[in-house]
Amino acid sequence: MHQIRRRDLPGRLKTILENLREVIGEHRPQQIAIEKVFVNVNPASTLALGQARGTAICAAVDAGLPVSEYTALQVKQAVVGNGHASKEQVQHMVKRLLSLAGEPSADAADALACAICHAHGGRLGKLSTRGFR
C-alpha cells in the first residue's frame, strides 16, 4: 500500500483512492459501511474528513459496491448500547465482540464498530436506523 504523504489535497485524495482500490481488489468485499461525518470544533478537520470520506465512497461505487452510511450515534448505540459512549468504551466493546487479543487503536475500533453496526442489519433492537440522526 502507498503511504499518504503531506502534499496537496488532490494528491492526498488520489493516494487514498488508489489505496482503497487496492484493498477492495485484494479483499473483495461485498458491501461498504461508512460513518457519516459530523461537524466538530475544527471546520478544517471536518472538511478534510468529508473529502476523504467522499473519496472512499467513490472507490466503493467505482467497484460496484453498495454503500451504507451510519451516524456515530448509531454506531455507538449498536456496539456499546449507548449512543454517547466514549472512544475507550467503543474500543473495549469491539475487542470483546470480536474476541481480539488486544484493544484496537481508536481509528481501527471506529472502523470495526461501523462494520459491526452494519452487520447488525441497520437495526438498534427493534428500532430501525433508517433516517435516524
Side-chain angles (χ1 to χ4, degrees):
M1 237 188 290
H2 307 285
Q3 193 164 12
I4 298 173
R5 296 178 194 93
R6 287 206 167 269
R7 56 182 160 169
D8 63 324
L9 177 64
R12 290 193 313 258
L13 295 178
K14 180 181 181 217
T15 300
I16 291 169
L17 183 61
E18 289 171 349
N19 286 338
L20 287 173
R21 282 181 174 156
E22 186 178 322
V23 168
I24 289 168
E26 183 178 334
H27 295 284
R28 305 260 185 238
Q30 296 178 355
Q31 50 197 312
I32 302 294
I34 193 164
E35 192 172 315
K36 291 181 180 179
V37 175
F38 64 94
V39 178
N40 65 26
V41 226
N42 184 340
S45 293
T46 303
L47 182 60
L49 180 60
Q51 291 165 328
R53 183 180 169 281
T55 302
I57 291 171
C58 286
V61 170
D62 189 45
L65 298 171
V67 178
S68 297
E69 301 175 76
Y70 302 95
T71 65
L73 184 72
Q74 290 171 304
V75 172
K76 290 175 181 182
Q77 180 69 38
V79 174
V80 180
N82 174 1
H84 300 287
S86 69
K87 283 202 171 281
E88 293 79 20
Q89 289 172 306
V90 172
Q91 286 173 283
H92 178 72
M93 284 306 296
V94 165
K95 176 186 173 191
R96 290 196 64 192
L97 289 169
L98 299 179
S99 300
L100 301 175
E103 264 186 24
S105 70
D107 289 339
D110 285 347
L112 291 167
C114 192
I116 291 167
C117 176
H118 184 67
H120 283 179
R123 300 189 66 75
L124 305 176
K126 294 182 181 188
L127 174 68
S128 173
T129 60
R130 296 202 192 286
F132 185 77
R133 271 197 153 259

